[in-house]
Amino acid sequence: MSTHQPAEDRIWHVDKDDIPVGDGWQIRNGEKNWQNFRVVNAFVRNTHGDIWIPRRGPHKRIFPDCLDTSMGGHVDWPETYEQAFARELMEELNLDAERVSSTFLGHFTPRDYPTLSASMKVWEIEMNEAPNYNPDDFTEFFWFSPAELHRRLIADDKAKGDLKALVEILYAPHL
């Protein structure tokens, strides 16, 4: 019996500086350190400056029924951040990364931003219409200004863990 798992069952194992640890991967549903992995996130933003924010489905294993980034997911081993961005964008929002207007916002690590749960790269996608999202991932959506979203998060609207921190990091001048 092989001890190796299919690639889709493995995620990157990195330190707080986003440097691979050991063999560079860990089992997604097995033993792992939940602060030492890679994710991608994106915010869909319209020309008015509003951000498209979906609510996760009730069946989600983590953060069910919570507000979320417009798109996000683990970087599977051995894919790159950019490959994960393209994959997750298609899986969650039915968007082709090659055909959308996207801007890379930054690479963030728990070393530099201790409130973040993982190392991540984040993009912003310019769209004026709601994406054709996957109903298995999200149940509803809202368009919020960064300030309005931040107020809801401070008022303890249920949200995925990193959402508040990312809004504060990326949209601070608009809060």
Side-chain angles (χ1 to χ4, degrees), residues 79-94:
E79 72 185 345
T80 66
Y81 278 108
E82 292 71 21
Q83 290 167 331
F85 170 69
R87 176 180 52 77
E88 290 288 349
L89 198 58
M90 182 57 72
E91 288 175 7
E92 293 185 3
L93 303 182
N94 294 302

Side-chain angles (χ1 to χ4, degrees), residues 22-101:
D23 55 14
W25 62 272
Q26 59 188 329
I27 305 301
R28 181 190 313 256
N29 295 318
E31 284 294 316
K32 64 182 154 222
N33 179 337
W34 274 105
Q35 291 206 315
N36 297 326
F37 58 99
R38 289 178 175 170
V39 298
V40 291
N41 285 294
F43 289 97
V44 171
R45 195 160 185 206
N46 65 24
T47 53
H48 300 291
D50 294 331
I51 304 169
W52 184 85
I53 298 294
R55 186 171 303 280
R56 295 167 62 82
H59 63 282
K60 291 291 195 175
R61 187 172 48 84
I62 58 172
F63 301 110
D65 294 317
C66 289
L67 298 179
D68 201 351
T69 57
S70 303
M71 184 242 36
H74 291 99
V75 179
D76 290 337
W77 187 89
E79 72 185 345
T80 66
Y81 278 108
E82 292 71 21
Q83 290 167 331
F85 170 69
R87 176 180 52 77
E88 290 288 349
L89 198 58
M90 182 57 72
E91 288 175 7
E92 293 185 3
L93 303 182
N94 294 302
L95 294 173
D96 183 340
E98 303 269 327
R99 296 180 178 209
V100 296
S101 175

